[in-house]
Amino acid sequence: MHGRYHIPGVGTLFHRKGWFSAKARVRYLATGHTRWQTFTTDPGTLMEIITARTQAEARTLISLCLTGTET
């Protein structure tokens, strides 16, 4: 599984997950920033970020992943 997803007003996610891996590696570039941030999460949480109904929900999930808090 790999791909790129842009969340308007939040940022861009590049993600990659090997078929043998239980975790996905995600690179995140926040809107208006130039520094990429990297985190690892499970595919379920990644799908929650991508399908979040609001920008606030997507930002919250990304923040939790960046701080290492389990969701």
Side-chain angles (χ1 to χ4, degrees):
M1 168 175 105
H2 63 87
R4 183 184 127 199
Y5 190 79
H6 179 72
I7 303 170
V10 176
T12 302
L13 301 167
F14 282 96
H15 56 87
R16 179 171 298 278
K17 178 188 155 325
W19 64 270
F20 54 87
S21 176
K23 297 284 185 175
R25 185 167 176 88
V26 182
R27 290 177 53 218
Y28 169 65
L29 179 63
T31 300
H33 289 80
T34 58
R35 189 177 66 109
W36 287 92
Q37 298 174 309
T38 304
F39 61 89
T40 304
T41 190
D42 61 278
T45 301
L46 179 59
M47 290 308 298
E48 286 183 42
I49 293 169
I50 292 171
T51 60
R53 292 181 179 255
T54 64
Q55 290 179 349
E57 183 181 357
R59 280 191 198 108
T60 300
L61 290 168
I62 291 168
S63 282
L64 291 172
C65 289
L66 288 169
T67 59
T69 305
E70 292 296 320
T71 55

